[in-house]
Amino acid sequence: MRSDLLKEGVSRAPHRSLLKALGITDTEMKRPFIAVISSKSDYIPGHTHLDIITSAVEAGIRNAGGVPFRFDTIGVCDGLAMNHKGMKYSLSSRELIADSIEVMLTAHPMDAAVFIPNCDKIVPGMLMAACRMNIPSIFVSGGPMLPGKSGNRRLSLTDMFEAVGSCAAGSMEESEMLELEDKACPGCGSCSGMFTANSMNCLTEVIGMALPGNGTIPAVSAARIRLAKETGEQVITLLENNLRPLDILTPAAFENALRADMAIGCSSNTVLHITAISYAAGCPISLEYIDSIGKTTPQICKLSPASEVFLTDLNDVGGIQAMLRELDRAVLINRDIRTVSGTVGERLDKAPAADGMVIRELENPFRQDGGIAILFGNLAKDGAVVKQGAVKPEMMVHSGPARVFESEEDANQAILECKIKSGDVVVIRYEGPKGGPGMREMLSPTANIAGMGLDDSVALITDGRFSGATRGASIGHVSPEAAAGGIIGLIEEGDIISIDIPERKLELLVEESVLESRRANWKPPVQNLSGYAKRYAQHVTSGSTGAVFDDLL
């Protein structure tokens, strides 16, 4: 066993002495050592209850004859970091999480690992670490938050961000916003819509690294505790069979994950994360491949913020496995591949059929293609990403004058001051991986546009990215980014931008000779960076490659 590096032989007497200082007995010294890696913290609603999940995992490990050792990682709450400098450290925390786990599991060799994340950057960071370490591993999330409720209306965090825009437009009183504030987030768990955290927890289940139910069982349910115990027990089975992450994370598994991504309308951030995980797993995925999957996968679920259906509703009708079973009817799912609990096919054979409402049947999809589209054109030669499943029909094709802003703050101020008009295309640049740095998630401007009733007439494009809670014609990840010399950095006020989502086109309608003249005079803004932000900007790559560090490419 890998942990024998710590505990076997005469030369390891000092190591055993330190382990005994923890209370480890001679009997336990002979058992498998299992790492239990949590992102528990006291200031993130998605994580505040993870000590309960962790204790259940540890109980399961002991039930199956292992010895658990827990440590925690850092974690950023995107909701709390939104719309200020803190968001520059959200995506960048993904690499720190992966690095820190690699450090801990190399310095303290364990035989297997259970990962307990619950928010968006933490899930992929842990998956990247699992690929690097490649010891038997399994995931269990903390589960989704219940939706809030005000009268007969169910709520999510999206409603709070959009309420800010509604107040600015005068269509909502502050007293009404305060009432929503008290009710939108009723307790622990990852925010209740199909935002990035829930998207990644669902895809972790699909890709085979978690047990069925991981993505949808509510955080406050006893079923979540049982799932955690079963996960702790199952990791011992994985160890006995020597089944490792790179045995599971194959090209066929990534295809399943992308099919599910498209079918349930996941966050556009999943494109960044699946791409990054695929690099860590040694089977890189291109944006062109992702779009090819999207074009051939129907969207059969539409969840908040694209509708008033929530994760709890999906869980009630069979969850992710029931959705996959419906895709399997069209032979879109790779059945004969391994997961942490049998094959994909064995899981699907136990799942219920689609209910026809929350999970639509293939004959009646919400869309014939997937929830995410990849756009290309002179404005995005390396690609851009839009959550088309949350775009209103009238905005699928749009042309309008550019309203250019050099930061999220400037754009948000203009939106709240009612300076953005119907037909405009808001451009926010120098917010990419290098230019931000950190590729800030920008829910505030998109939510304010929606809250002011402009989401059916105003588009927004950026080299930054969006929250999974974003809806509307919001096109992110524009690559190359402005700071890397991308054409988005050459746009001037009033230039016409053409968006054609069905045709996958994003074009700046300016003559190439004019762009060449602008390029000759272009200089990137000076960044006064220090600390981790400076190191991150030096090593991060394009959003089109998942914003991984350059040593992965």
Side-chain angles (χ1 to χ4, degrees), residues 31-103:
R31 295 174 180 168
F33 282 11
I34 312 298
V36 180
I37 306 157
S38 166
S39 54
K40 156 73 179 175
S41 71
D42 289 336
Y43 56 88
I44 302 178
H47 300 195
T48 187
H49 66 304
L50 292 189
D51 51 349
I52 299 172
I53 304 297
T54 300
S55 295
V57 167
E58 291 173 329
I61 291 170
R62 292 190 182 97
N63 288 346
V67 183
F69 291 85
R70 168 185 169 174
F71 68 90
D72 296 339
T73 69
I74 63 168
V76 172
C77 173
D78 284 11
L80 294 174
M82 197 71 67
N83 198 28
H84 60 84
K85 182 180 179 181
M87 183 50 76
K88 293 177 183 286
Y89 290 83
S90 176
L91 179 62
S92 64
S93 72
R94 186 186 70 185
E95 319 310 310
L96 279 177
I97 289 165
D99 289 349
S100 65
I101 294 170
E102 177 188 347
V103 167

Side-chain angles (χ1 to χ4, degrees), residues 492-546:
E492 293 186 358
E493 190 82 5
D495 286 349
I496 301 300
I497 293 173
S498 173
I499 299 165
D500 190 332
I501 296 174
E503 294 298 320
R504 306 299 199 259
K505 292 291 186 181
L506 181 62
E507 298 279 350
L508 177 64
L509 303 185
V510 174
E511 294 291 334
E512 183 61 32
S513 59
V514 175
L515 293 177
E516 286 299 321
S517 176
R518 293 179 186 177
R519 187 175 286 110
N521 297 315
W522 173 82
K523 291 182 180 179
V526 176
Q527 293 178 299
N528 296 313
L529 302 176
S530 61
Y532 180 60
K534 182 176 182 179
R535 296 198 301 275
Y536 183 82
Q538 290 171 341
H539 294 288
V540 72
T541 61
S542 168
S544 64
T545 52

